[in-house]
Amino acid sequence: MSQTLENPSEVQVPAASRSERIRSFSVADFPQVTGREEEWRFTPVRKLSDLMEDAGTGEKLALQQDLPAGVSCEAIDAAAAQQLGALTPEDRPAAIAANQAPGVLHYDVPAGTELDAPVIIHADGVDGQTVHGQVLVTIGTNAKATIVVEHEGRARYSEHVSILVGAGAEVTFATIQLWEDGSVHLGQHDALVGKDAQFKHIAISLGGDIVRLNSNVRYDGPGGEAELLGLYFADAGQHLEHRTYIDHNTPKATSNVLYKGALQGTDARSVWIGDVLIRPEALGIDTYELNRNLILTAGARADSVPNLEIETGEIEGAGHASSTGRFDEEHLFYLMSRGIPEVVARRLVVRGFFNEVIQQIRVPEIEDVLNEQIEEELSRSML
C-alpha cells in the first residue's frame, strides 16, 4: 500500500531539536550507542560494534586519484585540519573516525579556480579491514569544482568529511558506494556553504551490507544554495540508510532534497530521515525535501521520515513529501498495451523512476556508472 505525505503547511517536530544534539571532537562527550536512541533506532547497531569503539587500526583505504590542474592534496594532522575549519562531528562514530584516522586528507581548490575536469578518487577496501578516515575539502571564493569519490572493494569503513564552500563558489561533491558484500560504511559529511555559494551533494548507495550516511549542511552567509540528491537500490539483506540535515541559520538561503530508492528481496531495508531546522534568524529562506521509495518485491521495507522544525514564520516556503509504494499499475498497463512484455515493462518503470535523479546530477562520469550499475541490479532482479 502506498503512503504519501504532501503538505507544505504541516510541521513535524522531532522528539528533540537538532540544535540540541551533541557536537564535539571528543569521543568521551558521546555516550555509548544502544540502538534505543532516536537517531539510531532504525540502524542495526549490534552489527557495528567495532566502529563504535574508540580504537584505531592504522589501516587506510587504497587510493587512486585523478587530480586536475588547480587542485592539491596533502596529508595533514587533525590539529591542522581543525585550524583550517574542519567541522565538528555530530555522532560517536564520526568523532571516533576523526580521532582514529591515520592523518587527514586535505583537498584544496584555491579562490577563483575553475577546474576543467572533475576530481576522481577511487577508494578501495582490502580484505574487509576496519578503516577510519577523515577528509577536509576547502573550496575558495568563487571557485568551481566537482569531486567524485567511488568506494569499492571490501572494508568496514567509518569516515568524517568536512566540505568548506567559499563565498560565490560552485561545488558538486558525490559519494558512490559500490562496496562488495560484507562491507560496512558509516559516514558523516558536513558542509558549510558560504555567501551566495552553490553546493550540490550526491549520495549513491548500491553496494555493501550496511551503509549509513549523514549529509549535513549549514550556511556561512545569506544567499547560499544547497541541493542534496540521493539514489539507492537495496537487495535482499542490505541495509541502506541516509539521513539529511539542513540547518537554515542565515537569511535568504535555499535548500532542496531529493532522494529516491528501490528495494527488492527478503529483508531489503532502506531508511531515509530528512531533518530541516529553520532558526529564528533564517528570514526569507525556501526549503523542500522529497523522498520516494519503490518496493519491487514482498519482504522489503522502506522507512521514510521527513521533519520540519520551524522557528520563524517569515519564510518564502517550507514543505516535504514522502511516499512508499509498489509499481504504478497505470504505467504498466500503458506499456503492456503497446506490446511490451510485463517483465520488460516493469524494468522500464524502474529506469524511469531513477531517471529523475540521474538527470539532475549532470556529471557524465557519475551518470555512466549509475546507468551501468542499475542495469546490473535489474539483470539480477526478481521482477
Side-chain angles (χ1 to χ4, degrees):
M1 178 179 294
S2 175
Q3 297 179 335
T4 304
L5 170 63
E6 289 194 51
N7 188 347
S9 65
E10 182 175 353
V11 178
Q12 294 187 344
V13 180
S17 171
R18 281 299 301 254
S19 63
E20 299 173 359
R21 292 193 182 177
I22 298 169
R23 285 181 179 172
S24 178
F25 278 99
S26 174
V27 178
D29 290 338
F30 295 92
Q32 289 285 349
V33 176
T34 67
R36 295 187 295 273
E37 302 84 356
E38 175 62 28
E39 62 266 36
W40 290 99
R41 66 188 180 93
F42 293 105
T43 310
V45 170
R46 292 181 180 179
K47 298 179 180 180
L48 305 173
S49 58
D50 58 325
L51 297 176
M52 297 293 182
E53 296 299 326
D54 189 13
T57 64
E59 301 292 345
K60 300 179 181 179
L61 298 180
L63 295 182
Q64 292 183 330
Q65 303 185 124
D66 186 359
L67 305 181
V71 60
S72 64
C73 175
E74 63 173 342
I76 60 177
D77 61 27
Q82 292 179 38
Q83 289 179 351
L84 289 171
L87 300 173
T88 310
E90 293 191 14
D91 65 21
R92 182 178 176 87
I96 292 171
N99 281 274
Q100 296 295 344
V104 182
L105 279 179
H106 176 211
Y107 296 89
D108 180 64
V109 180
T113 302
E114 295 187 17
L115 300 184
D116 57 6
V119 176
I120 304 293
I121 303 166
H122 295 277
D124 295 337
V126 180
D127 298 329
Q129 293 174 330
T130 297
V131 181
H132 296 93
Q134 185 177 183
V135 177
L136 172 64
V137 179
T138 51
I139 310 294
T141 302
N142 296 321
K144 295 183 180 181
T146 295
I147 300 171
V148 180
V149 185
E150 295 183 350
H151 298 98
E152 297 183 286
R154 186 164 59 89
R156 298 181 63 83
Y157 181 52
S158 184
E159 65 175 351
H160 178 229
V161 178
S162 299
I163 307 165
L164 308 181
V165 184
E170 297 180 20
V171 180
T172 295
F173 184 93
T175 176
I176 305 177
Q177 284 56 253
L178 303 176
W179 297 107
E180 296 176 4
D181 293 346
S183 296
V184 172
H185 184 170
L186 303 182
Q188 179 181 317
H189 293 186
D190 289 330
L192 184 64
V193 180
K195 181 179 183 295
D196 296 325
Q198 299 176 31
F199 173 66
K200 180 185 291 186
H201 184 278
I202 303 167
I204 298 163
S205 297
L206 300 174
D209 287 0
I210 301 171
V211 174
R212 186 185 194 268
L213 296 181
N214 292 290
S215 304
N216 307 323
V217 172
R218 286 183 287 139
Y219 299 85
D220 195 32
E225 301 178 13
E227 185 172 21
L228 277 62
L229 304 177
L231 185 154
Y232 47 91
F233 200 137
D235 290 317
Q238 275 188 300
H239 179 101
L240 305 180
E241 182 171 344
H242 299 84
R243 293 170 174 260
T244 62
Y245 172 42
I246 309 292
D247 184 352
H248 276 285
N249 59 334
T250 61
K252 299 293 183 181
T254 64
S255 64
N256 181 65
V257 178
L258 173 61
Y259 272 66
K260 285 190 150 190
L263 301 90
Q264 64 179 3
T266 303
D267 294 330
R269 180 79 183 274
S270 73
V271 177
W272 176 82
I273 308 293
D275 289 336
V276 176
L277 171 62
I278 303 173
R279 297 179 184 268
E281 61 268 29
L283 306 176
I285 68 94
D286 195 351
T287 181
Y288 194 79
E289 53 182 355
L290 170 63
N291 175 234
R292 297 212 184 282
N293 297 289
L294 186 59
I295 304 295
L296 303 180
T297 66
R301 173 179 171 179
D303 289 288
S304 181
V305 184
N307 297 303
L308 291 175
E309 187 176 357
I310 302 176
E311 298 179 348
T312 177
E314 297 184 33
I315 59 177
E316 293 295 323
H320 56 222
S322 171
S323 69
T324 298
R326 294 187 179 273
F327 281 101
D328 187 323
E329 297 299 332
E330 290 186 4
H331 287 174
L332 285 177
F333 177 79
Y334 175 84
L335 294 170
M336 293 171 64
S337 69
R338 279 150 179 77
I340 299 175
E342 182 177 357
V343 171
V344 176
R346 288 179 178 272
R347 293 182 179 181
L348 287 173
V349 170
V350 175
R351 294 187 188 101
F353 174 78
F354 281 135
N355 198 47
E356 181 183 4
V357 175
I358 295 174
Q359 285 184 332
Q360 295 193 43
I361 293 173
R362 299 186 179 91
V363 180
E365 290 82 358
I366 300 178
E367 294 178 9
D368 291 344
V369 170
L370 267 180
N371 288 322
E372 291 175 4
Q373 291 295 319
I374 290 173
E375 287 302 318
E376 184 175 334
E377 292 280 354
L378 290 174
S379 70
R380 303 194 302 264
S381 177
M382 302 175 186
L383 299 179

